[in-house]
Amino acid sequence: MAGPAAAAPRGAGKLYPDARSALADLVADGQTLAVGGFGLCGIPEALIAALRDSGVKNLTVISNNAGVDGFGLGLLLETRQIRKMISSYVGENKEFERQFLSGELELEFNPQGTLAERLRAGGAGIPAFYTPTGYGTVVAEGKETRQFGGQWYVLETALRADVALVKAWKADKAGNLVFRKTARNFNPACAMAGKVCVAEVEQLVEIGEIDPDHVHLPGIYVDRIVVNPHPEKRIEQRTVRAA
């Protein structure tokens, strides 16, 4: 697994002019990436597009879902840049389905809570943990199991990534992040699990303008910042109420 380039010093020079320049000396073939988002909510759209344009390949991508056809991580599936997905939900992408069923794409399925905890553990330096989720199912095949208090548990290992790509609503120039609503589900965990983290944000403010009590992710976890003030923000499944 290739290692990332050295990041800028913490708290200094974190702002990059665009997504392409933020990834230029960072991404490489064969890396593992953690990509934030929940469905199409809170996905780093500009960073994913820049990753596609970089041409890096044989990637392992940790993400709750795999985007949709032609958008989000679906862009990287179309260009065959992803070798393996570590995911929880992949039901909105026909190209994903085709590649998986034809043996072109490797998949490691995780229950959603287990995936979140594996990322959180990776960021916290915890190598593994026991969970009752998945015991007695295919999820537990080949994994260590152990009984505690009369209940069986499955040993799950932590997840770490060479690079984390996340999306936040607001950041200050030190990289302190604020997320909005559902976008907070996986983005903080992905950021903490990455050796280097690049954050795509809609708003950038001066240091001190974000109330410390409102910071969702401290800037110590964020190495690079890209401002994308007008993301597309597609709706994954549009539902309307009958008249």
Side-chain angles (χ1 to χ4, degrees):
M1 185 168 62
R10 300 285 185 181
K14 294 186 177 183
L15 182 61
Y16 282 71
D18 51 46
R20 181 195 60 79
S21 60
L23 298 183
D25 64 340
L26 203 58
V27 295
D29 293 351
Q31 285 181 326
T32 295
L33 277 66
V35 181
F38 191 72
L40 294 182
C41 178
I43 65 172
E45 300 173 20
L47 289 171
I48 291 172
L51 186 63
R52 175 201 58 192
D53 295 342
S54 74
V56 295
K57 56 186 182 299
N58 294 324
L59 299 174
T60 295
V61 178
I62 308 164
S63 184
N64 180 59
N65 65 292
V68 296
D69 294 290
F71 191 66
L73 290 176
L75 295 175
L76 303 181
L77 289 168
E78 287 181 352
T79 52
R80 308 295 196 277
Q81 289 170 267
I82 299 177
R83 177 187 65 84
K84 177 181 179 180
M85 285 291 307
I86 302 176
S87 297
S88 173
Y89 176 70
V90 295
E92 303 296 332
N93 194 311
K94 290 183 174 60
E95 178 59 19
F96 184 105
E97 178 184 15
R98 189 199 67 75
Q99 289 187 29
F100 174 66
L101 293 177
S102 65
E104 300 172 35
L105 179 69
E106 188 177 345
L107 172 63
E108 183 180 334
F109 254 140
N110 288 245
Q112 193 168 78
T114 300
L115 180 63
E117 184 63 9
R118 291 183 73 191
L119 287 164
R120 191 200 68 81
I126 299 169
F129 60 92
Y130 284 99
T131 174
T133 304
Y135 177 77
T137 73
V138 293
V139 170
E141 289 181 1
K143 298 175 183 176
E144 179 184 331
T145 58
R146 186 172 173 182
Q147 197 171 32
F148 297 92
Q151 184 170 358
W152 283 97
Y153 293 79
V154 180
L155 183 68
E156 295 282 359
T157 55
L159 289 171
R160 291 280 288 159
D162 296 302
V163 180
L165 305 180
V166 302
K167 163 68 186 299
W169 172 55
K170 183 187 290 187
D172 64 20
K173 291 181 178 178
N176 296 303
L177 301 185
V178 180
F179 301 94
R180 293 197 72 229
K181 304 184 185 297
T182 313
R184 192 176 173 186
N185 279 357
F186 275 92
N187 275 297
C190 285
M192 291 187 285
K195 296 176 184 176
V196 178
C197 174
V198 185
E200 177 181 326
V201 304
E202 295 180 43
Q203 299 181 32
L204 183 70
V205 299
E206 295 296 329
I207 296 172
E209 290 189 39
I210 300 177
D211 186 324
D213 286 337
H214 296 164
V215 172
H216 294 146
L217 184 74
I220 193 172
Y221 292 108
V222 177
D223 300 281
R224 302 182 178 191
I225 304 167
V226 173
V227 179
N228 179 18
H230 305 295
E232 187 173 345
K233 292 186 179 180
R234 289 195 195 180
I235 297 174
E236 192 169 357
Q237 292 188 15
R238 186 181 298 275
T239 304
V240 295
R241 185 173 57 190

